[in-house]
DNA sequence: CGACGTGTAAC
DNA sequence: CCTTTTACACGTCG
């Protein structure tokens, strides 16, 4: 009989990634707080913070914050503000991900700066081995690319992710299977990966403050509040239960969104922007990805998002479906008379991948 | 059930 | 005075 061995999974998170990469090529900003920004281009300083380095975080400057707020926090201090350069970060990321993949039996990149490595086979259940691997990986990335990362090790993706959050930057945290419940127990629910502001608020209002409070509340009670599905999800997060495999997933959708120079209700202005976004998306599609559903995304002056979508005969060229987008725009406008839009976007979904001969292929969507 | 729209979450 | 991209769950409608 072969008992199913416990898995060992590493979560690798590149520290303050965009900022770290900038510090590498801009030695002059080292030792200073640095803020990497997405400028929206409508006014000076309109836009949001993509990443800040740890010195900037000490000033309270965090990802997602409006640039104008960050500037206020930086007032009088020597803080460097830089625009994002995604192309460059993607190059660096790609090289690092290639390094990481070498160390894994199974590999899953989850974003530009994060990946899971299943090392169960090569470490045969030995956490010492996994820890050594993590140190080797950290050293290798430091040596080859000059940046630090934080690694979490645990028996599942979720636990490794939570472990990694414990010590940053340049951290290494191991949570063994028998330690999982204790490790999570006293964490505030909002700290659990997958529990955001809304759910945190809802849990708190029930008197549920820490992870341990969740199972203590009882599954039936949770189900009344959250429904069967989410209730069991919450309980699993509290107890560190996660069987999801480390595997590269196919993309389900691709989208592009942009901020308008000025708020508008004008179909022609919107159409023009949509047409730009289609051209941009085509660079990604490369005539290799076909789609069956298109969506128009709108964000109004109050930052409320709405979508209008339509399933169409399969297409592989975003620009070729511009007439359908025009229809969606007109539909949206007639259903929302006078609504001022701030941002507009497009999305294609129902994707399938085509090979060189234009034939449909099964997997491989994640390559693009 | 498939299509569509919204909400939540994470980066 | 607030970016961008993706995923997924869920409610609703026909």
């Amino acid at each position: 009989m072969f008992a199913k061995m416990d898995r060992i999974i590493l979560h690798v998170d590149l520290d303050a990634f965009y900022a770290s990469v900038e510090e590498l090529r801009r030695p002059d900003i080292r030792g200073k707080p640095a803020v990497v920004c997405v400028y929206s281009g409508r006014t000076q300083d309109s836009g949001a913070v993509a990443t800040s380095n740890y010195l900037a975080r000490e000033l309270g400057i965090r990802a997602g914050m409006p640039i104008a707020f960050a500037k206020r926090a930086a007032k009088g201090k020597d803080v460097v503000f830089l625009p994002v350069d995604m192309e460059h970060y993607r190059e660096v990321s790609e090289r690092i991900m290639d390094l990481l993949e070498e160390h894994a039996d199974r590999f899953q990149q989850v974003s530009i700066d994060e990946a899971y490595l299943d090392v169960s086979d090569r470490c045969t259940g030995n956490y010492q081995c996994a820890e050594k691997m993590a140190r080797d990986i950290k050293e290798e990335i430091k040596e080859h690319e000059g940046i630090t990362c934080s690694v979490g090790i645990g028996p599942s993706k979720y636990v490794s992710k939570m472990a990694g959050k414990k010590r940053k930057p340049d951290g290494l945290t191991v949570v063994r299977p028998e330690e999982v419940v204790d490790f999570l127990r006293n964490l505030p629910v909002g700290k659990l990966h997958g529990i955001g502001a809304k759910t945190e608020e809802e849990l708190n209002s029930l008197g549920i403050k820490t992870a341990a409070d969740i199972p203590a509340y009882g599954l039936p009670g949770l189900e009344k509040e959250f429904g069967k599905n989410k209730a069991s999800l919450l309980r699993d997060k509290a107890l560190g239960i996660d069987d999801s495999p480390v595997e590269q997933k196919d993309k389900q959708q691709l989208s592009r969104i942009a901020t308008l120079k000025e708020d508008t209700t004008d179909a022609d202005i919107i159409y023009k922007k949509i047409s730009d976004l289609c051209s941009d998306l085509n660079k990604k599609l490369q005539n290799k990805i076909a789609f069956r559903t298109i969506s128009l995304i709108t964000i109004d002056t109050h930052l409320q998002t709405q979508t209008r979508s339509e399933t169409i005969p399969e297409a592989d060229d975003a620009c070729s479906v511009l007439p359908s987008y025009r229809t969606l725009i007109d539909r949206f406008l007639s259903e929302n008379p006078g609504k001022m839009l701030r941002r507009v976007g497009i999305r294609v979904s129902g994707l399938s991948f085509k090979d060189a001969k234009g034939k449909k292929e099964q997997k491989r969507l994640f390559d693009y």
Side-chain angles (χ1 to χ4, degrees), chain A residues 249-268:
Chain A
K249 295 206 182 105
D250 282 354
K251 282 220 184 313
Q252 305 291 311
Q253 54 180 228
L254 288 164
S255 62
R256 287 294 180 270
I257 189 162
T259 302
L260 297 163
K261 205 96 190 126
E262 278 155 357
D263 297 347
T264 190
T265 62
D266 186 322
D268 291 331

Side-chain angles (χ1 to χ4, degrees), chain A residues 12 47 62 69 85 106 165 168 172 222 225 231 236 305 313:
Chain A
V12 179
R62 301 238 138 63
F69 291 12
D85 178 358
R106 283 161 290 280
K165 285 208 251 189
K168 288 182 172 200
L172 172 54
L222 290 171
E225 292 297 325
D236 289 354
T305 302

Side-chain angles (χ1 to χ4, degrees), chain A residues 38-317:
Chain A
V38 184
Y39 290 94
S40 71
R42 52 166 44 195
T43 62
Q44 181 81 293
D45 290 351
S46 71
V49 173
T51 317
S52 52
N53 68 5
Y54 279 80
L55 285 172
R57 289 182 201 186
E58 281 175 30
L59 302 174
I61 299 173
R62 301 238 138 63
M65 175 182 276
I67 296 166
F69 291 12
K71 293 239 161 143
R72 219 164 300 154
K75 198 145 198 169
K77 307 208 171 62
D78 189 13
V79 180
V80 183
F81 287 83
L82 304 159
V84 288
D85 178 358
M86 289 310 298
E87 215 162 315
H88 184 231
Y89 310 148
R90 250 187 286 270
E91 273 176 32
V92 178
S93 166
E94 202 172 308
R95 291 200 300 268
I96 294 174
M97 292 299 160
D98 286 348
L99 291 181
L100 289 177
E101 191 165 7
E102 296 277 304
H103 292 276
D105 305 318
R106 283 161 290 280
F107 180 77
Q108 179 178 4
Q109 181 176 349
V110 285
S111 72
I112 194 165
D113 65 349
E114 263 182 75
Y116 291 106
L117 286 67
D118 187 328
V119 299
S120 308
D121 296 346
R122 60 187 67 196
C123 283
T124 57
N126 183 330
Y127 272 77
Q128 310 266 338
C129 160
E131 206 174 322
K132 162 128 182 35
M133 288 212 36
R135 277 194 294 267
D136 290 347
I137 286 168
K138 283 162 69 75
E139 200 178 307
E140 194 176 328
I141 296 177
K142 181 79 198 184
E143 193 166 301
H144 282 75
E145 299 294 339
I147 73 173
T148 64
C149 62
S150 297
V151 180
I153 304 179
S156 66
K157 289 201 285 186
Y158 170 71
V159 173
S160 68
K161 167 90 188 174
M162 292 301 299
K165 285 208 251 189
K166 176 107 178 174
R167 272 181 282 273
K168 288 182 172 200
D170 204 11
L172 172 54
T173 306
V174 183
V175 176
R176 291 176 168 74
E178 64 273 18
E179 301 168 332
V180 168
V181 175
D182 270 350
F183 170 71
L184 297 171
R185 175 166 29 225
N186 294 320
L187 293 177
V189 291
K191 286 258 152 71
L192 304 180
H193 185 245
I195 298 186
K198 302 280 184 175
T199 309
E200 177 185 20
E201 197 49 44
E202 212 174 335
L203 286 166
N204 286 167
S205 77
L206 298 172
I208 300 171
K209 312 278 183 194
T210 67
D213 294 342
I214 294 177
Y217 192 85
L219 199 53
L222 290 171
E223 285 177 351
K224 247 178 242 110
E225 292 297 325
F226 298 97
K228 234 175 164 51
N229 222 309
K230 193 163 180 192
S232 96
L233 204 83
L234 288 170
R235 187 210 39 194
D236 289 354
K237 294 205 174 296
L239 299 175
I241 298 168
D242 171 26
D243 290 327
S244 64
V246 174
E247 62 182 357
Q248 207 58 266
K249 295 206 182 105
D250 282 354
K251 282 220 184 313
Q252 305 291 311
Q253 54 180 228
L254 288 164
S255 62
R256 287 294 180 270
I257 189 162
T259 302
L260 297 163
K261 205 96 190 126
E262 278 155 357
D263 297 347
T264 190
T265 62
D266 186 322
D268 291 331
I269 293 175
I270 295 167
Y271 182 77
K272 178 71 181 69
K273 185 55 86 177
I274 293 301
S275 142
D276 293 345
L277 292 171
C278 283
S279 305
D280 187 47
L281 189 62
N282 264 347
K283 291 183 205 154
K284 192 83 176 176
L285 298 177
Q286 288 191 345
N287 283 296
K288 294 193 171 186
I289 299 171
F291 51 87
R292 288 192 54 240
T293 302
I294 65 169
S295 306
L296 170 72
I297 304 164
T298 64
I299 298 166
D300 66 25
T301 43
H302 309 299
L303 302 178
Q304 294 301 298
T305 302
Q306 281 173 281
T307 61
R308 289 295 178 273
S309 62
E310 189 189 1
T311 297
I312 54 167
E314 187 169 85
D316 57 18
D317 175 352

